[in-house]
Each structure stands twice: as C-alpha cells, then as structure tokens.
Amino acid sequence: MMSLTRTNLAAVVKKQYVFKLKSCSNLLISLIALQLIAILFTMGGMVDSMSIGSSYMSVTIRFYSGDGVFTFSLIWALATAFILTMPGYRNIDFTFVGNRLSSNLANFGFLLTASITGGISATLGSLMIRNIVYFSGGSENILGTNFFMGPGELLTAMAAAALYLLLLSAVGYFSGTLVQWNRILVLLLPALVVGTLIFEAGNYNRRIIWRAVDFFIQESSLALFALKVTATVLLLWTGAILLTNKTEARA
Amino acid sequence: MNVIECKGLTKQYGRIDALKDLSFSIRENTITGLVGPNGAGKTTLLKIIAGYLKETAGVVKVFSGHPFNNLETSANLVFIDDNMAMPATMNIEEILNAAGSFYAYWNRELANRLFDYFSLNPRQLYKDLSKGQKSTFNMIIGLSARCALTIFDEPTTGMDASVRKDFYRALLQDYLQHPRTVIFSSHLLNEIEDILEEVLLLAEGRKRLHLPVSELKEYAVGLRGKEEKVNRFTRSAEILRRERFGRDSIYVVTRYNFNKTTLQKAREAGLEVLPVSTADLCVYLTARNKGGIDDVFNQD
Amino acid sequence: MIFTNDELKPIYLQIAEWLETEILSGNIAADEKIYSQYQLAAMFNINPATAAKGLNILADEKMLYKKRGLGMFVTPDAAEIIRTKRRERNLKRWVEELVKEANRLNISDSELNDMIKAARNRSKEEQR
C-alpha cells in the first residue's frame, strides 16, 4: 500500500511560489522591458518643453521626469495582477498540487516580489534619467527640486514606489477575481468606475474616487502611508480569497 | 479499504443533471476503467473526485475526506487529461522537474527513462509539442508522480497505436511494482480491459454497471440465426440488442443466464452462439435504442 | 499475448489452462513454486487480480497449495488431477461431439477409428 503524504499549506505555497517565479518569468521580463521603454520615451522628448525667445537670445526649458517609468510600472502591476486571475494562468496552479488558498497565496507572493523589484527598478530608472540629464545637459543648467538624492531619500522613494505597485496589483487582482467570479462584471465594473467619474465630475463635494486617491497620495508620512497601503492590500486579498474559495477550478 | 466512496452523488449545471444519484466505491490498489458514451458524466465525476468541481448533492469521499478544495487530497492524487494547463515559458524538461518538486513519491529516474524512451526533446516548449507528444508527456508525469490515487481522463488523445500500447504496458508494470489506485477513463475499452480489474459504466450521469472485468466478459451472449428459433431461446431473457439482417435472420444479445446445455441446444438448433466483446456490450447497455444506428434508417 | 480475446472463455480460465499445461508438460514439477500473480500479470499483460483468479482455480482443485509468505506450490498429485479432469471433462465432451458429427455424416466406426489412428500417427511424427 502506498502511504498517504501529509502536507501543509506553507509547504505547498512555497512550491507553488517557486514554480510561479519560473513560469511567470515572462511577466517580470515585460516589467523591465516596459521601464526601459519608458526611459527611452522620456529621453526622446516625450516631455514638455518650452522656449522663450527674442532676437537677442533664446532659452529652451526642458522638463524631465521619472513619472513615465513609474506610470508604466503602475499600469503593469494592475494588468499583470488581473491576468494572473484569468484561467490561462490560474489553471496552471491546479495542474499539480494545490488548492484555491495556496494558489492565491502564491500569487500574492509573486506580486509582492514583482512590486519590490519593480519599485527598486523604477526608482533606479528615474535616477538613470537624472544621470543622463546631468552628464549630457551639464550640471550648471539644471533647475530642479530634489534633483540630488541622498541614500535615505532613495530608499524612501523605492519603498513608496513598491507600495504603490503593491496597491495597484491588489486592486487589479481583486477586480480580476470579481470578474472571474461573475463574468457580467467584465462590463459592469468599468461602467461603474467611468459612470462614477462622470457623475462626480460635476459634484465637487461627492468625489468618492478622488477622495480615495487622495487618501493615499496626500499622505506625507511614509510609515502612515505604508500602514494605509498594507491595510487596503490585506482587505483586497482577503476579499479575493473569500471570492475564490467556493469557485470551481478547471471547469 | 475504500479510496473513493460516493453516495447519492449529484451534479447539476443549471438545470441539467451531469451526474445523478451516483453511488459506488473504489477499493484501494485497483485499476478501474471508467467508460460510457460522450456526455455520460465521466469527466465531471473525475473532476469532483479530484476536488476541482463541487458536487450539488450527495456525499463524496476520497481518502475518507471531502475532496473539494482539499490540500491533502490534492497532494495524494494526480489528474491527467488532454487539457493540462502548462506554462508557456518553460521547456518540457523544466516542467518535468517542476512537477517533481510537488510530489512526495516522485520517481525521477522513471520520469527520465520514459522521457528518453519516447524520445521527447527536453528543450521543446510544451505548446510546440504535437497532440500525441503532449499526451505522452502528461502520461509520464502521471506515472512518475506515483500518487496513491492516479486519475487518467482520456489520456491517449493523439497517441498512435504503438505509444498507446507502450503506455498501457508501462502503467501495468509500474502498478505491479508500486500498487496504487488508478482510474482510467477511455473510449477504447477493448485496448485497456486486460489491465483493468473493474469497470464502472456510466450513462446519462447514472451508474449502469460496476463489475469486475471478468464478470463483464460473461455478462452477455449473442445468438444469431432464424428469427423464430432465436426468439424461442430468448423468450424469457433480457434483450440488450436486436439487429435484423437478411430476410428472416436476427442477431440478439441477451443476458448470459443460460446454462451450458441450453447453449448447446441452441447450437444444435443451428444458431450461432457468439461472445460479446466488453466494448460492444457497453455500447449496447448504454444505447437508448435496441437496434442501434440502423433504427434511424429503418422506420416502420 | 498468446490468448485470443474473441474467445468466449474469460482470460482467467485461459490462464488456468495455460498453467495446467505447464504442470502437465513437466515444466513446473511437483513441490516447485508456481508463477506469482504478479509474474503472470507481467507475462501476459493482464491485471494481477485476473491472474490471481486463474491461480485460485488451480488451488481450489488441489493442484496448488499455499505456503504462508512464500507463495503457491504445485501439489504432488497435480499432474494426475489435471489428467483426470481433462479426460473427464474435455476429452469426453469432444469425443461425444466427434461421434455426433460422425453420425451426421454417416461415418462408420472403423472409418472413424482409422481417422483417429491416422491423426495420432501424424502427431507422433511431428513430435519426433
């Protein structure tokens, strides 16, 4: 008789996480590729510039920003998390050993890893833009707020970027789970968001979505910001776990 | 000890019953063939056993536990079908190694030997394999995982006859050395019946039969000859199939509950007494129609 | 696979008969260990339960005995049992059928005897 193996959740999640890092390596590569493209766009003049001139002299001011790299990364986090909940990726979690909870936890592990990697590389990317500007444009011509970063600031920037990515990935994951839970939400969810935005455009005192955004971006303390993000992410993850726990796999 | 126990198992998709009031049990370390026509509910049943789908009503127990969403069940079973979700980024050698990391009794040597025997290219991506190669690769995972419960759901899609033969042989050999519970669903009962111990026949979501193969072989007998003579011998018997041919001849399949002398008399009366293959028998037992496809063309 | 599947005879009976023939021909002697169900399963590519069923027929008819933990062995009178059984059950029936067919074809006793003798001579020559 073949004896049964005992197993525990942590062991399975670990195996699934390692497998996911390999099987979803294409997603991580796409993040780095996206960030490099963003840097190229930024340097190539996808930035505002303005020229003031007279017959005697002309001044051209270029605005460079690391925002492009960061924005691209945010979109990536949202989309990737959404994709992970779709059957194409989700079913792979049920090819070998696993259940719904282990599949979700392994996905969270992957998104956490991606957010930290993405946060670091996005910050380094914006640092790279500064370097290129500094060395190509000449240091004497730079008018910048916070152009020079100390190591402490750099770490803060990385942490903040990682937290934003994590937040967006949690939003993407939760919406993806909702859509998989009930397909009608594919239409309802975007309609609801756009509808609210349009409705609220005229009602300044009832701007729920903008207030929600402000709740995060207006926070000046990194510790409080981290707390807000962590709480929100945990809430969204729990929601996703509860939604998937009764759904059928490989159906 | 029973590895699987189902009692009154029912599964509904909307208003349609995919499985209805199904009760059976499967003993430990047996190879069971799951057969039945398309839409009989074979895959639904196997996916409930594997914990992917949730039953609508009734009781299902695998290793004495409820399989749905159960990690213990999942760790002790491997489910192989022709629709395995595999990552597009990894080559099949990497996938094979990854598969090995999940199973406690994974036999790496067996996996590698089978891999070489079927000359798969380790550098190839799963999605680039042919249908038959995919099935072969899946089968290697199913055998090498050495799980206490091994489920094959139509695993031979696209395999050519010689690979199928090798597969059945490999399954039997490995089972002899490492007995485990195997469920094998297939439309090719005649190919697999020799390695089976039992057959579970489903039709329209219900159990039609669950018997040792040896009993299935003696379950029915075919009589062929002049209609009146055949009728004389089959008057009180349960008719499973009736086909007419020629002007006044018929072929009738009935339950085999004659004694030997009756059969001898039938032979002497000029009737042909024919064995009924298990595959044909399963078709007859699950057909809605006693005359088969010919009933469509002969309407009187 | 040496057995024909389209025969009415189930595989376990075919296995039993094959084993009987092995014993009868002396390939497995008295008190010698017979094939295990697993060996038979691997040899004939069949489920071991089917093979066990074949072995059990021989055990039930006292051609095999069990040694705890060691397997099944051929009884000293196995060959004799098989010979008697085959003569009583098979040969008699075949002879009866033979006679019936001969009657249908109006073959005389001496003609039938000659045919049997000729057949026996041919088989002796083949064995030589």
Side-chain angles (χ1 to χ4, degrees):
Chain A
M1 139 87 194
M2 208 157 251
S3 57
L4 297 184
T5 55
R6 314 273 321 154
T7 188
N8 62 67
L9 184 64
V12 174
V13 171
K14 199 180 143 203
K15 287 171 190 168
Q16 280 197 327
Y17 170 74
V18 172
F19 181 41
K20 205 170 280 287
L21 281 185
K22 285 182 211 153
S23 62
C24 297
S25 57
N26 57 333
L27 295 176
L28 284 176
I29 291 167
S30 74
L31 170 64
I32 306 300
L34 221 53
Q35 290 178 337
L36 286 175
I37 290 169
I39 292 172
L40 287 179
F41 275 175
T42 307
M43 299 319 297
M46 232 194 68
V47 286
D48 298 325
S49 65
M50 92 191 183
S51 300
I52 314 158
S54 67
S55 48
Y56 301 107
M57 69 173 198
S58 92
V59 178
T60 301
I61 304 168
R62 291 181 194 277
F63 300 91
Y64 293 101
S65 150
D67 288 354
V69 182
F70 188 55
T71 312
F72 271 40
S73 306
L74 286 180
I75 294 168
W76 177 90
L78 192 72
T80 299
F82 191 90
I83 288 170
L84 282 180
T85 65
M86 285 166 41
Y89 278 95
R90 179 75 83 182
N91 282 347
I92 297 176
D93 294 349
F94 293 92
T95 296
F96 307 122
V97 179
N99 67 357
R100 283 127 196 98
L101 184 57
S102 74
S103 161
N104 281 320
L105 293 177
N107 278 334
F108 299 157
F110 175 78
L111 290 172
L112 192 64
T113 310
S115 298
I116 294 169
T117 319
I120 294 170
S121 59
T123 312
L124 291 179
S126 79
L127 210 62
M128 194 150 118
I129 293 172
R130 287 160 206 252
N131 277 326
I132 296 169
V133 171
Y134 184 87
F135 289 110
S136 65
S139 56
E140 67 280 7
N141 294 329
I142 293 168
L143 297 168
T145 48
N146 304 324
F147 187 85
F148 299 100
M149 266 189 186
E153 276 175 286
L154 192 66
L155 281 178
T156 308
M158 282 175 177
L163 285 166
Y164 270 118
L165 289 177
L166 187 63
L167 180 64
L168 262 282
S169 76
V171 170
Y173 196 84
F174 183 71
S175 2
T177 308
L178 270 178
V179 167
Q180 290 307 317
W181 177 67
N182 195 331
R183 299 295 162 93
I184 298 171
L185 292 167
V186 176
L187 299 172
L188 281 184
L189 215 59
L192 199 71
V193 173
V194 174
T196 314
L197 282 174
I198 292 171
F199 174 74
E200 290 187 340
N203 297 275
Y204 284 95
N205 38 8
R206 272 198 279 175
R207 303 180 88 176
I208 303 171
I209 290 179
W210 290 117
R211 275 192 205 170
V213 172
D214 281 347
F215 175 71
F216 295 105
I217 61 170
Q218 297 295 348
E219 182 54 62
S220 54
S221 148
L222 181 67
L224 275 180
F225 176 69
L227 197 69
K228 283 178 176 178
V229 170
T230 309
T232 313
V233 165
L234 286 179
L235 209 65
L236 289 169
W237 281 0
T238 312
I241 288 172
L242 292 177
L243 279 176
T244 42
N245 241 358
K246 296 279 172 217
T247 54
E248 302 191 319
R250 296 189 67 176
Chain B
M1 201 194 96
N2 288 332
V3 167
I4 299 168
E5 278 174 38
C6 292
K7 217 172 175 187
L9 180 63
T10 298
K11 173 71 186 176
Q12 291 172 330
Y13 291 116
R15 276 191 209 152
I16 297 157
D17 289 326
L19 294 176
K20 202 161 186 195
D21 199 23
L22 197 59
S23 299
F24 69 95
S25 54
I26 287 182
R27 277 177 302 118
E28 184 181 52
N29 298 346
T30 53
I31 305 182
T32 302
L34 179 62
V35 289
N38 293 327
K42 301 186 294 287
T43 296
T44 302
L45 173 62
L46 293 178
K47 285 188 171 172
I48 288 174
I49 291 170
Y52 298 141
L53 305 185
K54 197 165 190 255
E55 69 278 10
T56 311
V59 178
V60 51
K61 279 186 176 171
V62 177
F63 307 119
S64 323
H66 184 224
F68 183 74
N69 211 7
N70 188 330
L71 210 56
E72 296 286 333
T73 313
S74 177
N76 286 291
L77 78 77
V78 58
F79 181 93
I80 301 296
D81 66 359
D82 58 2
N83 196 19
M84 306 284 288
M86 297 288 184
T89 49
M90 298 164 74
N91 66 40
I92 53 177
E93 187 183 36
E94 290 167 338
I95 295 178
L96 197 69
N97 290 334
S101 73
F102 281 95
Y103 297 104
Y105 299 114
W106 177 265
N107 191 301
R108 196 193 172 90
E109 200 189 317
L110 176 68
N112 290 340
R113 280 184 178 180
L114 288 170
F115 204 91
D116 291 343
Y117 178 84
F118 290 105
S119 17
L120 293 170
N121 176 1
R123 301 268 162 270
Q124 225 171 348
L125 294 179
Y126 185 79
K127 66 176 172 63
D128 295 334
L129 297 177
S130 75
K131 247 187 198 171
Q133 285 175 319
K134 276 183 188 163
S135 295
T136 305
F137 180 72
N138 297 342
M139 167 268 276
I140 293 175
I141 290 176
L143 289 179
S144 309
R146 294 240 169 106
C147 285
L149 177 56
T150 304
I151 297 176
F152 288 111
D153 185 14
E154 284 293 338
T156 58
T157 311
M159 284 185 190
D160 62 43
S162 78
V163 174
R164 291 204 299 274
K165 220 173 155 191
D166 282 339
F167 170 30
Y168 306 143
R169 178 85 182 146
L171 172 61
L172 180 70
Q173 287 278 24
D174 205 53
Y175 166 79
L176 289 173
Q177 285 162 30
H178 301 273
R180 60 194 112 155
T181 311
V182 179
I183 308 181
F184 198 120
S185 112
S186 175
H187 285 295
L188 306 169
L189 181 59
N190 56 339
E191 287 187 0
I192 61 165
E193 62 178 352
D194 286 346
I195 63 164
L196 300 179
E197 183 164 344
E198 304 209 323
V199 168
L200 175 59
L201 175 64
L202 298 186
E204 293 169 13
R206 293 168 186 273
K207 181 173 85 176
R208 191 69 183 78
L209 270 188
H210 186 197
L211 283 178
V213 186
S214 50
E215 284 176 39
L216 199 62
K217 287 218 164 205
E218 296 168 274
Y219 190 86
V221 66
L223 296 175
R224 187 157 65 191
K226 296 265 182 272
E227 183 165 11
E228 37 167 45
K229 282 185 187 167
V230 173
N231 284 345
R232 190 145 38 89
F233 281 97
T234 57
R235 201 171 298 139
S236 57
E238 185 189 334
I239 309 281
L240 303 174
R241 179 81 159 191
R242 179 189 289 273
E243 281 171 27
R244 34 182 72 255
F245 65 98
R247 190 181 287 170
D248 52 0
S249 292
I250 52 169
Y251 171 62
V252 167
V253 175
T254 83
R255 282 292 300 270
Y256 186 83
N257 39 20
F258 307 102
N259 52 38
K260 285 223 165 107
T261 47
T262 322
L263 278 185
Q264 193 54 36
K265 274 182 191 157
R267 274 199 198 94
E268 280 163 18
L271 296 182
E272 284 179 86
V273 178
L274 304 160
V276 180
S277 77
T278 47
D280 283 345
L281 176 64
C282 288
V283 171
Y284 301 156
L285 283 170
T286 55
R288 285 162 167 254
N289 223 310
K290 295 246 180 290
I293 187 75
D294 281 357
D295 279 7
V296 174
F297 299 97
N298 308 328
Q299 284 180 321
D300 9 86
Chain C
M1 184 81 196
I2 57 163
F3 301 129
T4 47
N5 268 325
D6 33 48
E7 244 187 285
L8 194 51
K9 209 168 273 173
I11 296 178
Y12 67 91
L13 282 181
Q14 298 181 46
I15 293 284
E17 278 178 14
W18 182 82
L19 289 169
E20 285 178 9
T21 310
E22 286 287 288
I23 296 171
L24 210 52
S25 64
N27 281 351
I28 310 167
D31 290 318
E32 211 178 306
K33 190 175 186 296
I34 201 154
Y35 301 103
S36 73
Q37 64 177 113
Y38 302 104
Q39 285 172 316
L40 288 171
M43 279 161 71
F44 296 112
N45 219 16
I46 54 169
N47 190 285
T50 314
K53 226 171 159 179
L55 283 167
N56 283 335
I57 292 179
L58 270 69
D60 288 346
E61 297 180 4
K62 308 269 185 293
M63 300 169 202
L64 300 177
Y65 64 94
K66 272 180 200 154
K67 271 194 198 170
R68 202 170 274 268
L70 290 175
M72 293 218 206
F73 291 77
V74 178
T75 57
D77 15 314
E80 197 45 47
I81 295 172
I82 295 163
R83 210 168 290 132
T84 318
K85 171 183 146 183
R86 290 204 170 178
R87 191 173 53 224
E88 293 303 309
R89 282 195 214 156
N90 300 350
L91 204 54
K92 260 193 185 167
R93 208 183 65 226
W94 290 332
V95 170
E96 272 165 27
E97 292 218 10
L98 187 73
V99 169
K100 268 184 199 165
E101 184 68 8
N103 289 347
R104 271 182 230 131
L105 301 174
N106 285 324
I107 309 266
S108 71
D109 285 4
S110 59
E111 223 176 320
L112 189 59
N113 284 338
D114 288 348
M115 282 174 83
I116 292 172
K117 263 181 205 157
R120 291 202 78 148
N121 287 338
R122 261 203 306 281
S123 112
K124 271 178 199 159
E125 268 170 40
E126 273 167 25
Q127 277 182 2
R128 229 177 273 145

